[in-house]
Amino acid sequence: MRLTMYLLREGADGGKEDLRQRANVRELRVRVRADRLTAYIVEGDSKAPSWMKELNRIADLDVEHRETLSRSYGAVVFVKTGGRVLAVCFGTGFHAVEPAQIERGFGLRTTANLVAAERVRGAQTRGVASNSRDQKTFLPTDGTFSDLAVEVDEDWLRELSGKSGVPSIATTLAGADSLRITVPEFSLNALPEKADEVFSAYQSDDYKERFAFLGQIAPLDRSDPRIDQLDQLVVEQLSAHEAGISFAMPDPFTQGDLDHYEFALGYQGRYRLEDVLPSAVFKILEQLDKAKNPLVDVKVSALNEDDELVDRVHPLKSYVQTEVQFQGEDFLLSAGLWFAVRKDFSSTVQSQVDRIADLTDELSLPVWDAKVLADDSRDKTAEGSYNIATAETEGYALLDKKLVIFSAYERLEISDLLTPAGQLLCVKSASSSATLSHLVAQAINSAGAWGDVRYQDKLGEAWVSLHGDATSSLGREEAVFVLAIATPKPGPLRESLFFFAKVQVANCARLLERAGFRVALARIEMINFEPVKVPRKSKVVFK
């Protein structure tokens, strides 16, 4: 038998109040174990199957009372166990459980405690460090969790599945908020005992040995009462132009189509931005009516060069990247979702970033003047123009857009700039976690191709252009990959980067150092980034 279970939050007693108010439920008389079991039948609305209407277009249906032919049924059995309540659902019964009463992550933790180490089958993740993609990965045969290649510091593990290491409890498991288990030759007469076994497995700390990362980043349920207070803290950050706040695109979409953004403030106008840097967004929000909530009332459109949407319109909250402390805990806002960060994880990431060398003073890179770069016709992008100008003024070799071609479908940039001292500068503005994800990927991919002859030929050309000696070369031991990040925020990068960016930078440093490379950071000062007000126009629609 297959069982689907939810754990209710502490304080729930397994009564009708733990079911949705709009659910059509009826309590059943329980004949056995009534001291621990409460059961409800869930009846859906009577309706004809959707295909019947279409079939009636081409054929005469000789069926009476078609509107009563289809009715969905479900059931919920509440089981008391260990001072808590499990909701065991059948059919459509899971729709009837009140979402606010569900203990988040119950199924995931239980599965992590019970799944056999060599018999993991799948996982569902959501990226929180670089984008908000949802991804499901399945193994064709039993394997280990590492076979799934989940980035545990950058991805939130939402679901885990596999075969149980304790077959007396279940043979297969899949867990997220709910727990789905298979129990051969099972009778519901033994449901209380099975609930005891499952709840005991949930309470175990065995998962910490193999899945120590669980809970280091955990999303808050949208019904969490803390969200309103957390949102208010962000509104205060926006009003104070707090340095720790940043803005990032909330959803993955085709980066190549993006040309600019428009911020709609209702009657206060619409504003165009080439990038979502804090200083520009703050200037826009100064125009907003003080009675309005910027997180909700400001709408952001991502547009291509033809002013067509490349993503759906989002409220500003979906673009905000920030960290707040509330009641002694750290919380992160990303893509419109709040995440609680475990204290030891936050401290670990910060200590990893603190160990990375900072070459800001040594390199003293030119200022990123957004206004000057916007007027520079040598490249279509501010980044491209900055790289060209910096190569000229500093005597660096320009590698931006000079691709190493491995095949028709595989090519990469070694870096954006190469200094005479062997520093490979990867340059980006700190406008979003997605942008910094590209920066990190550039460095990692470049380091991974280091031993290829075609890579070395392109690198050698640049090195000779700097030194004039065709017999010399840049060795792995001398090379330093520098993540050069332009930002208007004051202070060192290790302090000003938002948390998700720190996670990516720390992971990048770890991977490159394992490959024998040195890694460093360098801040580029950014100035003169101003929003441009655009005329009011008709509503933008998807093409």
Side-chain angles (χ1 to χ4, degrees), residues 271-289:
Y271 293 82
R272 173 185 173 123
L273 285 179
E274 303 301 324
D275 214 339
V276 284
L277 288 173
S279 57
V281 176
F282 291 151
K283 286 182 178 294
I284 290 174
L285 297 183
E286 289 174 356
Q287 313 306 315
L288 185 68
D289 188 320

Side-chain angles (χ1 to χ4, degrees), residues 384-413:
S385 295
Y386 179 85
N387 290 331
I388 293 170
T390 301
E392 292 176 352
T393 60
E394 303 300 310
Y396 296 165
L398 181 65
L399 290 171
D400 185 22
K401 299 182 177 66
K402 297 183 178 180
L403 304 178
V404 182
I405 300 175
F406 301 103
S407 69
Y409 305 104
E410 187 180 6
R411 54 192 65 194
L412 60 76
E413 285 180 349

Side-chain angles (χ1 to χ4, degrees), residues 3-25:
L3 299 174
T4 298
M5 303 179 174
Y6 293 88
L7 178 64
L8 302 188
R9 289 179 172 171
E10 291 187 14
D13 60 5
K16 196 171 183 178
E17 64 276 8
D18 296 318
L19 300 172
R20 290 178 184 266
Q21 291 184 356
R22 290 182 294 177
N24 184 14
V25 300

Side-chain angles (χ1 to χ4, degrees), residues 243 245-246 277-279 367-368 428-431 436 484-493 496-498 522-527:
I245 200 167
S246 299
L277 288 173
S279 57
V367 169
W368 181 300
K428 282 287 186 294
S429 67
S431 57
L436 293 181
I485 301 172
T487 176
K489 296 180 182 179
L493 289 173
S496 64
L497 289 177
F498 45 84
R523 178 181 177 272
I524 302 171
E525 182 182 359
M526 179 180 283
I527 61 173

